[in-house]
Amino acid sequence: MEYIKINGGNTLHGNAYVQGSKNAVLPILAATILSGKTSKIHNCPKLSDVKMTVEILKFLGCDILVSGNKITVNSSNITTDFIPYEMMKKLRSSIIFLGAILSRQKSASLSFPGGCEIGLRPIDIHLKSLKMLGVDIKEEHGYLNCRLDKLKPGKIHLDFPSVGATENIMLISAISNGTTTIINAAKEPEICDLQNFLNKMGAKIKGAGTSVIVIEGVSKLNECEHTIIPDRIVASTYLSAAMITGGSVIVENVIPNHFGAVTSVFEQCGAKVETFKNSLYLKAPKKIRRVNLVRTSPYPGFPTDAQPVIVSVLSKADGVSIVKENIFENRFKHTSELIKMGADIRIEDRIAIINGVKELTGAQLFASDLRSGAALVVAALCANGQSQVYNLNFIDRGYENLVDVLKNLGADIERINDGNE
């Protein structure tokens, strides 16, 4: 069994380079099947989620070449419209293939997605939107069997600014006769990255980053090259690691505006934050201040994916902080593990009441999802004594080299494989 061993107490200092965004690369890889040509994607992080996405592309018939952080996809020979349950269950974002396959094959058959159990991620918004565009959908034996005779472009008003639903509509509408408008679209930077990629292939899409996206359908797409944006959640994790240990860090290869809501909370906690063109500097205060309220919400609000690491930081704050989770109902699973370390946290429905403590202590810790795993590693960095973090398969979904980066910052951290399963 593999685990991360951390001897806490070291103050972290130095520079940390941020990988490409997991949440941007996955829909862009799915989008490569639209052109039927070759796409070259740079700055792809080496993650288990990316590996599974590549496996799905291969299953569909794509030729793939992976060279370092570059993935080349030749999608000229798509041979099926089907993705088996065994593949779908390993990837929460696998539903993003629905729009791309329908656009290319005019039919699709895939099961409901799997991944981290952080709460309901209903796909009803996806299905409602696709039906409005003319997709016939039947739910049978755990599979979605979909058929598209002719796309019906029009206005789609999303009940909630769902990232995945916004992406699926963009994918299915890029090649069409007519104009589709998404109202109440998700505004996340990853949506902008997908728009940029599609437009490089010849699509005509505008409005990403706002609540209204307009997709003017084109007859075909072409081959292109694209570089994935940096991962704002990984950057937030490195900032949290420096913050909780009383250190300082320069995160490099970032777009600072992408996580302004996160740095705002750090500043409320007393940190000094300076932004530059492609980097950001954080110096932790001597004592972390409490924060009245952190409320997760769709971008540009505070990201739910950064909530767990912020809870870890606030567990060492001076006073009581409140964190309200508005996106996923099971996003506080990590708090039970933090309590094992001595944290004083009370959960009431979707609210965490965090009474900061002077010291956390090392413990055996078990990640229950990707972001909780990162939060436990962050907490262990400042704990008195040794911690072991298990269930690394979750962390591997979103972090390319977390242990190496933290070690370079001065952490006493090591990934251990004891050979026992």
Side-chain angles (χ1 to χ4, degrees):
M1 179 180 291
E2 282 193 297
Y3 61 94
I4 295 175
K5 181 177 72 173
I6 304 162
N7 291 307
N10 289 6
T11 302
L12 302 194
H13 295 284
N15 294 35
Y17 187 87
V18 177
Q19 67 193 49
S21 167
K22 176 183 84 77
N23 291 337
V25 71
L26 301 184
I28 285 174
L29 285 174
T32 61
I33 71 176
L34 295 179
S35 68
K37 298 180 175 66
T38 298
S39 303
K40 297 178 181 179
I41 315 299
H42 301 271
N43 199 34
C44 297
K46 297 176 182 177
L47 310 172
S48 59
D49 270 15
V50 172
K51 183 178 179 181
M52 179 49 58
T53 302
V54 167
E55 290 303 310
I56 290 174
L57 287 170
K58 288 180 179 179
F59 183 87
L60 293 171
C62 297
D63 291 324
I64 310 285
L65 176 63
V66 179
S67 177
N69 293 103
K70 175 184 174 182
I71 299 177
T72 302
V73 183
N74 181 341
S75 63
S76 61
N77 189 35
I78 298 294
T79 57
T80 183
D81 65 357
F82 170 72
I83 303 176
Y85 168 75
E86 290 72 21
M87 288 183 159
M88 290 290 294
K89 70 178 182 180
K90 296 179 181 179
L91 197 63
R92 272 186 84 86
S93 59
S94 52
I95 194 64
I96 201 63
F97 275 97
L98 185 56
I101 295 173
L102 278 168
S103 177
R104 179 70 182 273
Q105 300 290 80
K106 306 307 177 189
S107 60
S109 179
L110 44 113
S111 71
F112 290 84
C116 290
E117 295 181 1
I118 53 175
L120 294 174
R121 187 176 290 187
I123 61 171
D124 58 315
I125 299 177
H126 299 243
L127 304 185
K128 177 182 176 182
S129 301
L130 294 177
K131 287 177 181 177
M132 291 178 68
L133 292 170
V135 180
D136 178 63
I137 302 175
K138 291 183 171 61
E139 300 179 33
E140 301 171 316
H141 310 294
Y143 275 80
L144 297 168
N145 295 313
C146 309
R147 183 166 298 279
L148 176 63
D149 292 327
K150 184 178 180 181
L151 192 77
K152 300 175 182 177
K155 291 186 178 181
I156 307 295
H157 190 291
L158 298 182
D159 298 330
F160 177 85
S162 161
V163 173
T166 300
E167 291 167 341
N168 258 327
I169 298 167
M170 293 168 69
L171 292 175
I172 198 172
S173 304
I175 302 174
S176 65
N177 292 315
T179 299
T180 295
T181 303
I182 310 173
I183 301 169
N184 196 29
K187 303 175 184 178
E188 273 73 1
E190 295 79 17
I191 300 290
C192 298
D193 209 26
L194 178 61
Q195 173 182 279
N196 291 339
F197 173 70
L198 291 170
N199 285 348
K200 284 180 182 179
M201 288 202 293
K204 294 183 179 179
I205 305 174
K206 61 183 180 181
T210 75
S211 60
V212 179
I213 297 176
V214 179
I215 306 119
E216 183 182 339
V218 298
S219 59
K220 65 177 183 177
L221 297 176
N222 306 307
E223 62 182 37
C224 76
E225 290 195 42
H226 182 74
T227 300
I228 300 296
I229 60 172
D231 195 306
R232 58 197 173 100
I233 307 303
V234 169
S236 300
T237 302
Y238 298 154
L239 294 173
S240 298
M243 187 76 178
I244 203 168
T245 63
S248 62
V249 67
I250 297 174
V251 288
E252 300 177 304
N253 184 41
V254 296
I255 302 173
N257 289 341
H258 283 180
F259 46 102
V262 175
T263 53
S264 174
V265 171
F266 285 131
E267 288 178 318
Q268 292 176 57
C269 289
K272 177 184 178 182
V273 178
E274 295 181 21
T275 58
F276 305 94
K277 183 178 180 181
N278 299 311
S279 62
L280 187 149
Y281 169 77
L282 178 144
K283 180 177 176 57
K286 291 184 179 180
K287 183 177 291 187
I288 299 171
R289 298 179 196 154
R290 64 181 286 271
V291 175
N292 287 338
L293 176 64
V294 178
R295 182 188 294 110
T296 67
S297 60
Y299 189 86
F302 191 91
T304 180
D305 283 353
Q307 176 259 103
V309 292
I310 286 294
V311 168
S312 290
V313 171
L314 294 176
S315 70
K316 286 291 303 293
D318 184 18
V320 177
S321 303
I322 305 295
V323 175
K324 185 177 182 183
E325 175 56 55
N326 292 311
I327 309 298
F328 294 119
E329 70 275 12
N330 291 334
R331 194 98 232 206
F332 286 132
K333 285 186 175 181
H334 57 293
T335 58
S336 61
E337 298 297 288
L338 294 177
I339 291 169
K340 284 165 53 176
M341 304 177 75
D344 184 352
I345 303 173
R346 187 170 80 254
I347 304 298
E348 295 183 1
D349 194 20
R350 292 193 177 197
I351 295 175
I353 303 165
I354 308 159
N355 186 12
V357 297
K358 292 184 177 180
E359 181 181 81
L360 297 176
T361 56
Q364 283 194 328
L365 306 168
F366 296 87
S368 56
D369 60 76
L370 164 58
R371 306 306 174 185
S372 78
L376 298 179
V377 171
V378 166
L381 292 171
C382 76
N384 180 20
Q386 186 179 107
S387 298
Q388 301 89 36
V389 180
Y390 293 87
N391 297 340
L392 302 191
N393 57 298
F394 290 117
I395 294 174
D396 292 341
R397 290 188 52 236
Y399 292 86
E400 180 175 322
N401 52 0
L402 181 61
V403 169
D404 290 340
V405 171
L406 294 176
K407 184 178 292 187
N408 288 338
L409 291 174
D412 185 350
I413 184 171
E414 188 176 1
R415 184 164 178 148
I416 305 292
N417 188 341
D418 61 12
N420 296 320
E421 293 296 334

